[in-house]
Amino acid sequence: MIGENLRKHRLKKGITLTELAQRSKVSKSYLNSLERNIKNNPSINLVKRLANELGTDIYQIIGEEKNSENPINEREEWRSFIKNVRDAGIENGELSEYKELIDYIKWKNRKVGG
């Protein structure tokens, strides 16, 4: 799925595979493998670079809903996590980066398990 999303956004932006590879500092062959779903396990840093170059966010690249609901049984765990994050001095504005990372890890875990 990541390959189709990547290709769709690249074509929508009107840039070639070579241009995107150069801009995102990744080899053209690796990027081609991602688009063809031969490789489907890119790093979070690469996904962020690609999303940035394509003018979108990681959720559009990995094909996840940005504001997906957590199951009820996880809410208390999330509350505890957020309390720990705030206790560590991390501000609300910085939380979006952590949410992106957590969503990416959840996506990656589903890919490995599924």
Side-chain angles (χ1 to χ4, degrees), residues 10-11 14 17 20-22 26 30 37 45 49 61 64 66 70-71 75 90 95 98-99 101 103 108:
R10 180 178 63 79
L11 294 175
L17 199 60
L20 182 59
Q22 289 172 343
V26 66
Y30 183 73
N37 290 313
N45 290 330
R49 287 195 316 264
I61 301 298
E64 292 289 313
K66 189 171 186 173
N70 292 320
R75 285 186 183 158
I90 297 169
L95 289 177
Y98 291 97
K99 178 161 179 8
L101 179 60
D103 288 343
K108 199 168 189 175

Side-chain angles (χ1 to χ4, degrees), residues 26-101:
V26 66
S27 73
K28 179 181 172 182
S29 63
Y30 183 73
L31 195 53
N32 186 40
S33 294
L34 282 174
E35 282 195 1
R36 293 174 42 219
N37 290 313
I38 294 170
K39 303 275 187 184
N40 62 4
N41 204 12
S43 71
I44 182 70
N45 290 330
L46 177 57
V47 174
K48 282 185 172 186
R49 287 195 316 264
L50 292 168
N52 184 54
E53 291 300 330
L54 295 171
T56 189
D57 59 38
I58 68 165
Y59 302 100
Q60 295 296 312
I61 301 298
I62 64 175
E64 292 289 313
E65 292 292 324
K66 189 171 186 173
N67 294 317
S68 59
E69 282 291 319
N70 292 320
I72 293 172
N73 61 351
E74 293 181 0
R75 285 186 183 158
E76 189 56 41
E77 188 175 332
W78 278 110
R79 284 187 187 116
S80 174
F81 173 76
I82 290 170
K83 181 186 180 318
N84 288 334
V85 167
R86 288 191 177 132
D87 289 347
I90 297 169
E91 301 293 323
N92 283 346
E94 298 170 298
L95 289 177
S96 65
E97 283 189 48
Y98 291 97
K99 178 161 179 8
E100 282 183 355
L101 179 60

